[in-house]
Amino acid sequence: MRLARGAARLVRGAGLLLLGGCVYYNGMYNTNRLAKSARKAEREGRPFEAQGFWGQVVTRADSLVLRHPRSKYADQATVLRGLALARLNQCPDAVEPLGRLSMVQLSTDFTEEAALALGRCQLQLGDAGLADLAFARVLNSADSARRHEARFRHARALRMNGQYEEAVALLRESPDPRVREDLLLALAGAGRTDEALAFADSVLALHDSTFAWDTAVATIGRTDAHAASALVSRLADDPRASAELKARRLYDDGVRLAGTDSAGAAARFQQAARVPGASESAERARLRLLRMELSSARTLQDLGRHGDSLAALATRTTAAGVEAAALQLEVERLRQLDDSAGPGVPQGDLRLFLGAELARDSIHAPLLAATLFRRLADAWPMSPYAPKALLAAQRLEPVDPDAIHERLDSLYHDSPYLALMRGEEAPAYRQLEDSLQSFAAAQPVLIPRRSGPAGRVPEARPGQPIPQEDRMRPRRPTLPTDQTVPAEDRVRPRRPLPAQGDSASTRRRGLEP
């Protein structure tokens, strides 16, 4: 009897195992069937329906792996889940399950399909090296469609890896029309600018509406601003581009050129500002031109020459208009210095110092800032901030370092600023910095007032008080506590001052005005 009951339990256990295996096999079969339906919908041009099938594949595969994690089909279900996620363009989630591909014995078709999906996701995530390893598994596929796709993606990975010449050779052999953008970028990356522009002309002649010109321009511009600028010139007559797009291309080109070709940048901003029908980019270009003009100012009178243009732009309610309004307030604040920081005006030296910092850091007018710093030292020779102002002026506009050094050494040898830079103890340094920062925090800050669609910037004229409603008091800034000056930032008496340069470590400690 006991033997019979044991045999019965064994039979029931074996039945349950068989039933579980059968259930899992059926689940895997149905999941694969859904994947086949998704592929068919893709081939027949039914992408929305395909997305629905792939979503069901993800759900079914998740359930199978969760219920039967040790099954021999678990890895296959995991890879299939990764393939479905890749088809749904969820690459960050697809890479890990697709990475199990090398651990699974699958059919050649499934293996190559999954390898291509993994490579595409790695490219999308910016890892061209890992992507190329996946594509290498399919480069010699017996299936012509997968082989051509792998070779096209391999060439793109080479281009993204900076292997431009190898990419050019492969891309020129490919009949795939998708290679045009990669070929243009590979030619430009290889330094073959003339060939790249000639190829761009041939593509423009095709009037290909799918070509991502702006992406190509931006990519080329990261390594060769002038090649990108030449391409922008070729796109000037693009009949499909809106006025705003044309102005934006010109503006962005000006920004790229600004670091290496200021004249070329100014020309692009002028072109963008003149595009009829453009709005946002044209305003940004006009603001950029005004900033460039203000940056060349040397005197306070120079700032007034651009007041009308700045005021007109400041009335706009766009982002450029808001920035222009803030810039106008800063310019007006500087223009008041003639009355508020003259000799004999209480604390005029502090106002003049803060104005010079404003010219340097907000208006970005180094010559004007140097002029104001030197004006402080000349008009207020006994000010404790005079040596700091002379040092700041010398960094912005180096002139006669020997004479400046003699002046500092003879008049301000005991200044806490110079003592600290010589590596000596300077107890009065913190008191001077606290006084300057407290005075800065107590100054009223002009804020723009808007009324109606045109808006209005509050007027502040030299010698006139600022209306109370236009004032606000900022929070007191946090002051640095570390007073140690690195050896490389120290100067010794009777040595020439640095001709140029801006010590970041000195600025952090409050020594840099």
Side-chain angles (χ1 to χ4, degrees):
M1 182 66 69
R2 291 180 179 176
L3 182 62
R5 283 199 297 269
R9 284 197 297 270
L10 183 62
V11 170
R12 283 197 300 273
L16 289 173
L17 288 173
L18 289 173
L19 180 61
C22 183
V23 169
Y24 186 83
Y25 177 81
N26 287 337
M28 193 68 217
Y29 173 81
N30 289 329
T31 305
N32 279 314
R33 182 172 56 80
L34 286 169
K36 290 180 181 179
S37 298
R39 294 185 187 99
K40 181 180 179 182
E42 288 177 340
R43 289 194 302 270
E44 295 177 354
R46 294 177 282 123
F48 183 78
E49 189 175 341
Q51 296 282 297
F53 284 127
W54 286 123
Q56 294 181 60
V57 169
V58 173
T59 302
R60 293 288 185 93
D62 274 337
S63 177
L64 289 171
V65 174
L66 182 64
R67 293 181 180 180
H68 308 278
R70 294 184 178 84
S71 168
K72 66 178 181 179
Y73 296 111
D75 286 334
Q76 180 182 351
T78 299
V79 175
L80 186 56
R81 173 178 175 272
L83 177 62
L85 288 169
R87 287 288 204 276
L88 292 169
N89 201 32
Q90 298 178 27
C91 280
D93 297 325
V95 168
E96 192 275 331
L98 285 173
R100 304 281 292 275
L101 181 62
S102 58
M103 304 167 56
V104 190
Q105 294 294 327
L106 300 171
S107 68
T108 300
D109 289 345
F110 189 15
T111 298
E112 291 182 352
E113 182 184 18
L116 282 174
L118 176 59
R120 290 192 197 101
C121 279
Q122 295 286 15
L123 275 184
Q124 182 177 321
L125 296 176
D127 197 331
L130 288 178
D132 211 17
L133 292 176
F135 296 138
R137 305 181 64 166
V138 198
L139 290 176
N140 298 311
S141 171
D143 183 272
S144 61
R146 288 196 293 268
R147 183 174 65 251
H148 291 154
E149 179 69 13
R151 292 182 178 180
F152 162 65
R153 300 284 178 175
H154 168 58
R156 173 170 288 179
L158 289 174
R159 193 263 301 169
M160 292 176 65
N161 271 329
Q163 298 171 264
Y164 299 115
E165 294 293 352
E166 296 92 330
V168 168
L170 289 175
L171 291 166
R172 278 185 162 160
E173 294 175 357
S174 175
D176 194 323
R178 293 177 299 170
V179 306
R180 293 171 183 159
E181 184 178 338
D182 286 283
L183 180 54
L184 174 61
L185 296 175
L187 287 168
R192 296 155 71 166
T193 304
D194 291 340
E195 291 181 64
L197 294 176
F199 181 72
D201 289 336
S202 67
V203 177
L204 282 168
L206 297 175
H207 302 292
D208 183 359
S209 60
T210 64
F211 196 91
W213 285 111
D214 295 295
T215 300
V217 170
T219 303
I220 293 172
R222 284 194 286 270
T223 55
D224 189 341
H226 285 90
S229 185
L231 185 53
V232 169
S233 296
R234 283 163 163 76
L235 293 171
D237 298 326
D238 183 359
R240 292 162 295 133
S242 64
E244 178 58 31
L245 177 57
K246 290 180 179 179
R248 179 169 57 79
R249 285 173 175 170
L250 292 167
Y251 175 82
D252 290 344
D253 196 39
V255 172
R256 280 189 296 269
L257 291 170
T260 56
D261 183 359
S262 58
R268 282 306 198 206
F269 293 140
Q270 290 167 357
Q271 290 174 328
R274 292 195 298 264
V275 173
S279 176
E280 180 182 358
S281 295
E283 289 182 3
R284 291 166 65 197
R286 284 193 285 273
L287 178 60
R288 195 73 181 239
L289 286 168
L290 283 169
R291 281 197 173 277
M292 292 177 72
E293 292 168 354
L294 290 172
S295 68
S296 64
R298 178 178 283 277
T299 67
L300 295 176
Q301 289 70 32
D302 292 339
L303 296 179
R305 299 172 186 171
H306 311 293
D308 291 342
S309 298
L310 192 58
L313 187 56
T315 62
R316 306 289 295 173
T317 57
T318 59
V322 172
E323 185 179 345
L327 182 60
Q328 184 187 22
L329 294 175
E330 293 170 345
V331 169
E332 289 295 336
R333 194 178 193 180
L334 283 171
R335 293 179 65 189
Q336 294 180 47
L337 288 176
D338 281 333
D339 294 324
S340 63
V345 178
Q347 297 182 307
D349 57 334
L350 297 179
R351 290 190 179 88
L352 196 52
F353 193 95
L354 295 177
E357 286 190 322
L358 179 65
R360 181 191 62 191
D361 301 331
S362 296
I363 307 296
H364 302 292
L367 297 180
L368 174 59
T371 297
L372 295 176
F373 280 129
R374 290 193 175 102
R375 175 176 162 183
L376 186 155
D378 293 338
W380 301 79
M382 303 309 294
S383 169
Y385 301 102
K388 186 177 183 181
L390 283 173
L391 290 169
Q394 191 67 7
R395 288 189 179 94
L396 293 169
E397 186 186 25
V399 295
D400 198 355
D402 292 333
I404 295 297
H405 177 78
E406 290 298 328
R407 182 177 179 182
L408 287 169
D409 191 39
S410 61
L411 296 179
Y412 308 109
H413 183 76
D414 296 332
S415 167
Y417 294 107
L418 295 182
L420 200 61
M421 293 184 72
R422 291 193 298 265
E424 302 171 4
E425 293 294 329
Y429 164 76
R430 177 53 52 203
Q431 182 179 356
L432 287 174
E433 287 298 290
D434 285 351
S435 296
L436 182 61
Q437 296 290 347
S438 297
F439 183 80
Q443 298 308 296
V445 178
L446 290 173
I447 56 175
R449 282 207 313 258
R450 301 280 179 179
S451 59
R456 183 178 69 82
V457 176
E459 297 182 0
R461 294 291 179 261
Q464 295 182 358
I466 302 168
Q468 184 63 36
E469 61 270 23
D470 289 335
R471 305 183 183 191
M472 67 177 183
R473 293 186 180 274
R475 295 178 60 188
R476 179 184 176 90
T478 302
L479 299 178
T481 58
D482 182 6
Q483 300 183 28
T484 304
V485 181
E488 61 272 19
D489 288 338
R490 301 176 184 174
V491 295
R492 302 290 181 185
R494 305 188 186 282
R495 292 184 181 178
L497 294 173
Q500 297 185 43
D502 184 4
S503 170
S505 59
T506 302
R507 182 186 293 274
R508 286 194 299 271
R509 292 160 176 79
L511 292 178
E512 176 62 37

